[in-house]
């Protein structure tokens, strides 16, 4: 029995996976949970996957949910990738974090404070931007008024 075998019962750690799939502060936890849940073709699992597909701010998580639903033979549509504001009001969050710091603060200080104040925003953009994240955020930060 290979790893790609799809089972029809709920996984033993279903409650744990369900929590992880909805963890706003960690796109990696959501992604890993979606991948693991993708091995179980069960109506409760499909509900979680549909929610992640429709609502996850990180496209990689949406793609994983989409692929699992297709693997189950379900009809599903991958939403268009959001280009700009992944989290509603994110720019206001960046401005608020910047204004909460001394005028001469460094980008690293901004990064640390953003992570502390709004881990959900930090995490979503980190998940979306991948390796480009810090470069992208530093550019955003330097353009904030």
């Amino acid at each position: 029995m290979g790893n790609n075998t799809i089972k029809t019962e709920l996984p033993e750690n279903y409650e744990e996976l369900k929590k992880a799939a909805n963890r706003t502060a960690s796109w990696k936890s959501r992604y890993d949970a979606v991948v693991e849940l993708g091995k179980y073709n069960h109506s409760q699992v499909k509900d979680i996957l549909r929610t992640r597909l429709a609502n996850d701010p990180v496209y990689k998580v949406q793609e994983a949910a989409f692929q699992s639903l297709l693997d189950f033979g379900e009809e599903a549509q991958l939403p268009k990738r959001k280009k700009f504001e992944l989290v509603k009001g994110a720019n206001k969050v960046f401005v608020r974090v910047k204004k909460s710091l001394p005028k001469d603060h460094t980008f690293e200080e901004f990064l640390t404070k953003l992570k502390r104040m709004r881990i959900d925003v930090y995490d979503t953009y980190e998940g979306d931007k991948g390796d480009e994240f810090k470069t992208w955020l530093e550019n955003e930060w330097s353009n904030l008024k």
Side-chain angles (χ1 to χ4, degrees):
M1 199 156 106
N3 252 0
N4 295 339
T5 309
I6 293 176
K7 302 168 184 82
T8 53
E9 75 278 3
L10 274 176
E12 283 178 27
N13 58 343
Y14 171 74
E15 288 303 324
E16 199 180 298
L17 287 169
K18 182 179 173 181
K19 271 192 199 109
N22 294 308
R23 193 162 290 135
T24 54
S26 175
W27 75 269
K28 288 183 185 96
S29 291
R30 294 195 310 275
Y31 177 79
D32 291 344
V34 162
V35 168
E36 186 57 33
L37 287 165
K39 299 173 186 169
Y40 299 89
N41 186 349
H42 188 281
S43 61
Q44 285 172 259
V45 167
K46 288 186 230 178
D47 289 345
I48 293 173
L49 294 176
R50 287 196 186 289
T51 301
R52 286 295 109 223
L53 174 62
N55 303 317
D56 206 283
V58 176
Y59 200 67
K60 192 174 176 176
V61 178
Q62 288 182 312
E63 286 177 317
F66 173 70
Q67 192 54 58
S68 292
L69 288 165
L70 288 188
D71 291 347
F72 295 160
E74 295 290 308
E75 294 234 345
Q77 251 187 319
L78 190 60
K80 279 194 170 32
R81 185 177 190 138
K82 285 185 190 157
K83 291 259 187 295
F84 303 105
E85 224 182 26
L86 302 176
V87 178
K88 201 162 174 44
N91 211 49
K92 287 186 184 111
V93 170
F94 297 153
V95 169
R96 205 163 44 242
V97 171
K98 187 167 186 167
K99 285 185 173 168
S100 74
L101 290 161
K103 264 210 176 322
D104 60 352
H105 71 272
T106 64
F107 172 66
E108 286 303 319
E109 289 170 314
F110 172 79
L111 201 62
T112 303
K113 184 111 187 216
L114 173 63
K115 205 189 272 191
R116 204 170 61 237
M117 281 174 72
R118 288 296 301 272
I119 185 67
D120 58 322
V121 173
Y122 179 96
D123 186 76
T124 295
Y125 282 94
E126 182 193 43
D128 184 72
K129 305 289 179 199
D131 296 341
E132 319 280 300
F133 171 63
K134 281 198 172 156
T135 309
W136 172 82
L137 190 61
E138 190 161 10
N139 188 45
E140 292 290 304
W141 168 76
S142 63
N143 290 321
L144 292 173
K145 299 289 170 247

